[in-house]
Amino acid sequence: MPIKTKRWCVPMEQDDGYRALICRYRPRGLPKAKETWDAWQSNLAPSPELFDAFYGKGRTPITLDAYRDRYLQEMASQQDAITELASRVKRGETVTLLCSKDCILEQVCHRTLLAGLIEAEVARSR
């Protein structure tokens, strides 16, 4: 599959292709020389407000379904970035989406949700 997902700290593999860090915040204490990604696209990460709502900062945490729905709504404004990644996939390039967290629930992990949006864009543009 031309879209892969993994943690940024997992060693790079030869078939990773274009590696995009899609975290809101850059990993702490990591010198630029040790970055493992080609580009940092924080605009493709959940907003700080969505992150806070998911973790219940100051309130009851939102449900997984609400998190998924809100993330997908946020990504509607990022269509240009999604189209650019889909273009890479259409050209046969592998795109690896990186984040700092382990995906415990793949179905609501923003890497997985974003991969689905990219795949849908690839299918739409064929």
Side-chain angles (χ1 to χ4, degrees):
M1 176 180 217
I3 303 173
K4 297 167 65 174
T5 62
K6 57 174 73 171
R7 290 184 72 191
W8 71 266
C9 57
V10 170
M12 190 181 310
E13 296 176 311
Q14 287 225 277
D15 66 343
D16 277 355
Y18 179 79
R19 291 170 55 97
L21 179 68
I22 57 168
C23 294
R24 181 61 52 190
Y25 306 104
R26 192 180 172 286
R28 220 183 238 166
L30 183 72
K32 274 201 153 299
K34 292 191 176 184
E35 289 179 352
T36 63
W37 52 87
D38 298 303
W40 176 26
Q41 296 184 259
S42 61
N43 57 315
L44 296 175
S47 67
E49 297 78 22
L50 179 52
F51 222 63
D52 288 351
F54 181 70
Y55 287 103
K57 292 189 178 181
R59 69 197 103 160
T60 303
I62 61 174
T63 65
L64 295 175
D65 287 339
Y67 171 81
R68 183 186 64 245
D69 292 346
R70 283 181 55 183
Y71 176 75
L72 294 173
Q73 287 172 359
E74 288 182 357
M75 289 304 101
S77 68
Q78 300 302 322
Q79 191 57 47
D80 289 346
I82 292 167
T83 299
E84 188 272 324
L85 293 172
S87 294
R88 288 178 177 274
V89 172
K90 274 181 50 180
R91 291 191 303 264
E93 189 175 346
T94 298
V95 171
T96 301
L97 304 173
L98 306 169
C99 185
S100 60
K101 300 256 183 212
D102 275 328
C103 290
I104 297 168
L105 298 170
E106 287 280 327
Q107 68 273 25
V108 292
C109 170
H110 78 281
R111 284 178 291 204
T112 303
L113 295 172
L114 181 58
L117 291 173
I118 295 166
E119 289 168 349
E121 181 62 27
V122 168
R124 233 187 330 276
S125 61
R126 284 195 174 159

